[in-house]
Every structure is written in C-alpha cells, then in structure tokens.
Amino acid sequence: MPKLKLFILSLILTTIAGLSFFYFTRLPIPASLTQITADIYISPQLQATDIPRLRNRGIQTIVDFRPDGESADQPSHLQIQSASQTEGIEFHYLPIPHESIPDSAVDALANILSTSPKPLLLYCRTGRRAARTFSLAQASLPTGPDLQTILSQTAHVGFSATDLQANIITRIACRPLVPKS
C-alpha cells in the first residue's frame, strides 16, 4: 500500500508541475486585440514577441500603419515583418502620418481587405489610425457596409470616425455597382 500512495502522490505532483508549466508558458493573445468585424481586428503597437501569439490566435495577415521612428521604443516595421514571415503571416506596411489618411493608403487597404487571407490584424500606435483607415476602406468596397454600420464599428473599438463622415458618404456613393444575381 505505501507504494500505491507514493505512486498517487508522484502522479499528483507531476500533474501539478505540468499544469503549472503550461499555465506560465502559454501564449495568450495581446489583451488589446479588439474585433471590429468577424475577421478583422484592431490593435495598438505590436512587439515582435506578439507575433507567435497572434499566429496561435489564427491571424493570417498583419497591416502596420505606424511610420517607423515615431518613438524610440517602437520596433521597426522590418522587425515586425521578419517576425511575421517567420510565423507564416502575410505582412503589409502602410505608414500613415497622424491626422492625415492618404487616399493611396485607403485604396491599398481596400485591396488588402479584398485579397489577403483572414483573419486580419490592423495596428498603429493606439489603433486609431488603423480603425479610421479601415472605416474609409470599407466605404470603398463594393459590398461594404452602410454609413451607420461603419461609424458604429469604429465606435465599438473605441474611436470616432464622425469627422470622416463626408468622406465615407462620398466613398459609398462612388462604390462600383455589384451585379445582382
């Protein structure tokens, strides 16, 4: 009987040690990852160490809107790109300066949204530029949502696009027509 007790005790201790190791080494996704649509996420600044966690979460494409050199503690887009490639994640760099979203970046994002594998993660310093650029890109997509849905999605992730409303309306009005089946 003492051997059975010793075996059970060692089994319990081994299980506790194994579960503890798993708990302390698991790869959680960044807490700041926010879902804006079924397959699009918004995040503030990423670190290269976040990329394996994002891959475990299923992220297949990352879009970086933050220009290199905005702050000393920010990794370069090349560091994030390298980490993404190592994990088999598609990476795009669309640097957007503060308060100015170029049409070329909106068009590039609309193309990425239409052609890149999903789920997709968009990020910048706080997530604001990513969310706002996404709002404009969605307004440009032939099957994109209406104005209220776009504004609501942006608000859901903690940002406002109301100042972009005229631009969003114009982009929606200029959408290519989708043939009805």
Side-chain angles (χ1 to χ4, degrees):
M1 203 49 106
K3 288 185 180 182
L4 179 60
K5 286 183 183 179
L6 186 60
F7 171 76
I8 292 173
L9 180 61
S10 67
L11 184 63
I12 291 170
L13 291 175
T14 302
T15 302
I16 291 171
L19 290 174
S20 297
F21 176 78
F22 174 75
Y23 178 79
F24 289 110
T25 60
R26 73 186 193 281
L27 297 174
I29 61 171
S32 54
L33 192 67
T34 306
Q35 192 168 11
I36 192 167
T37 68
D39 53 7
I40 309 291
Y41 295 84
I42 303 290
S43 174
Q45 180 64 54
L46 296 177
Q47 299 299 320
T49 55
D50 294 325
I51 306 305
R53 296 175 181 118
L54 294 170
R55 182 64 182 156
N56 287 343
R57 173 62 177 82
I59 298 297
Q60 294 187 40
T61 303
I62 295 174
V63 181
D64 176 1
F65 293 102
R66 190 169 189 198
D68 285 344
E70 279 191 329
S71 69
D73 63 341
Q74 157 193 0
S76 73
H77 82 277
L78 294 174
Q79 291 171 302
I80 302 297
Q81 181 179 24
S82 176
S84 297
Q85 288 173 339
T86 298
E87 295 297 326
I89 298 174
E90 188 174 304
F91 179 86
H92 299 274
Y93 181 54
L94 300 175
I96 296 177
H98 284 289
E99 301 305 321
S100 174
I101 303 173
D103 287 339
S104 60
V106 175
D107 295 341
L109 180 59
N111 183 54
I112 291 166
L113 293 171
S114 298
T115 61
S116 293
K118 294 176 183 67
L120 204 135
L121 174 67
L122 314 173
Y123 83 92
C124 58
R125 185 178 68 82
T126 63
R128 182 174 186 261
R129 280 175 278 186
R132 291 165 55 83
T133 306
F134 178 68
S135 296
L136 293 170
Q138 275 200 294
S140 303
L141 295 175
T143 58
D146 63 22
L147 172 66
Q148 290 309 315
T149 301
I150 291 171
L151 295 176
S152 175
Q153 288 171 335
T154 308
H156 171 73
V157 295
F159 303 103
S160 174
T162 55
D163 61 310
L164 301 175
Q165 189 167 331
N167 195 337
I168 292 169
I169 291 169
T170 300
R171 286 176 174 278
I172 289 172
C174 293
R175 285 178 177 163
L177 295 177
V178 178
K180 294 183 181 181
S181 40

